[in-house]
Amino acid sequence: AQSVTQLDSHVSVSEGTPVLLRCNYSSSYSPSLFWYVQHPNKGLQLLLKYTSAATLVKGINGFEAEFKKSETSFHLTKPSAHMSDAAEYFCVVSAPGKTIFGAGTRLFVKA
Amino acid sequence: DARVTQTPRHKVTEMGQEVTMRCQPILGHNTVFWYRQTMMQGLELLAYFRNRAPLDDSGMPKDRFSAEMPDATLATLKIQPSEPRDSAVYFCASGLNMAGELFFGEGSRLTVL
């Protein structure tokens, strides 16, 4: 069975400060893990993906995520938030035949 | 620039009317998904196809919703009759396999009055 939990429904940071969006997963298989971003009135766009290669994955717009099997986590980070990062972020776990989306974390960035 | 195309982008209709949403997946993608997004429920998987065959439509209300892929370039989601609770944004996504990256369309925002 697979599941994904995004630990925060909302995160608020100031521009220029680090971003941490937390995601825990469970999977009976070796999963593929993804982070997607959704800007207002837009579709979801892939930020980055982990598919059993390097555990530290770099994505677009300065985001990265680290796969930690022992903690079953795949947290998303960015060293310095920008106003344009304000959006909703979805953690996704995928294995053959099943793709599960987290509930989403809305990121607010204050000037 | 390959992208998933959805039409219409916006639809306002009255309760009881039929609604058809269309999706053109990225050429060469063999998996197509329909999702519904609302504030209350978040993203819900309605149905998905592989090689045009429906694999799972358990997330769809069977009495009023139907999803088809008449050919590899077109997926449709139909609601008949529509109800106010169907108001949502409906997303189509396509991919190369079941466990890989998904490419989402911009969504069809449906309002049922």
Side-chain angles (χ1 to χ4, degrees):
Chain A
Q2 298 180 115
S3 68
V4 59
T5 303
Q6 293 185 241
L7 297 163
D8 306 291
S9 59
H10 299 86
V11 169
S12 182
V13 301
S14 297
E15 192 173 25
T17 65
V19 175
L20 170 64
L21 305 182
R22 298 181 294 164
C23 173
N24 286 118
Y25 72 93
S26 68
S27 177
S28 306
Y29 303 91
S30 295
S32 296
L33 296 161
F34 306 80
W35 276 98
Y36 288 82
V37 61
Q38 184 180 26
H39 290 276
N41 301 313
K42 296 289 187 182
L44 282 71
Q45 178 188 12
L46 182 72
L47 269 182
L48 51 80
K49 62 182 175 182
Y50 166 77
T51 54
S52 75
T55 57
L56 182 62
V57 182
K58 294 189 185 298
I60 61 172
N61 301 334
F63 283 93
E64 61 182 38
E66 186 171 8
F67 173 69
K68 291 187 176 180
K69 187 174 181 179
S70 61
E71 299 177 9
T72 60
S73 70
F74 190 57
H75 301 336
L76 182 70
T77 60
K78 183 172 180 177
S80 176
H82 191 272
M83 295 297 288
S84 61
D85 295 327
E88 187 147 21
Y89 293 79
F90 293 91
C91 182
V92 179
V93 60
S94 190
K98 200 75 173 179
T99 296
I100 306 290
F101 279 76
T105 298
R106 185 165 294 277
L107 176 65
F108 297 94
V109 182
K110 298 174 289 186
Chain B
D1 185 23
R3 62 180 65 186
V4 175
T5 303
Q6 290 185 247
T7 57
R9 291 294 317 278
H10 302 274
K11 175 74 174 180
V12 180
T13 191
E14 292 189 346
M15 183 174 61
Q17 296 297 305
E18 177 179 301
V19 175
T20 299
M21 289 167 276
R22 294 177 173 82
C23 168
Q24 181 176 6
I26 291 174
L27 190 64
H29 284 187
N30 64 355
T31 55
V32 176
F33 300 76
W34 282 106
Y35 287 91
R36 176 170 63 185
Q37 187 177 41
T38 60
M39 289 292 291
M40 294 300 294
Q41 301 295 329
L43 264 175
E44 301 173 275
L45 177 65
L46 296 176
Y48 66 87
F49 296 78
R50 184 170 64 195
N51 296 323
R52 295 177 53 204
L55 287 192
D56 186 354
D57 60 2
S58 59
M60 224 163 52
K62 298 291 190 304
D63 56 338
R64 299 184 300 107
F65 283 60
S66 61
E68 296 179 346
M69 279 200 75
D71 61 60
T73 65
L74 177 65
T76 61
L77 179 66
K78 186 178 294 186
I79 308 174
Q80 167 64 14
S82 58
E83 298 181 1
R85 60 180 166 152
D86 302 329
S87 297
V89 181
Y90 291 81
F91 287 102
C92 175
S94 70
L96 287 171
N97 56 63
M98 296 300 301
E101 176 183 357
L102 296 182
F103 294 79
F104 281 79
E106 298 267 276
S108 293
R109 181 176 296 276
L110 173 65
T111 302
V112 183
L113 303 174

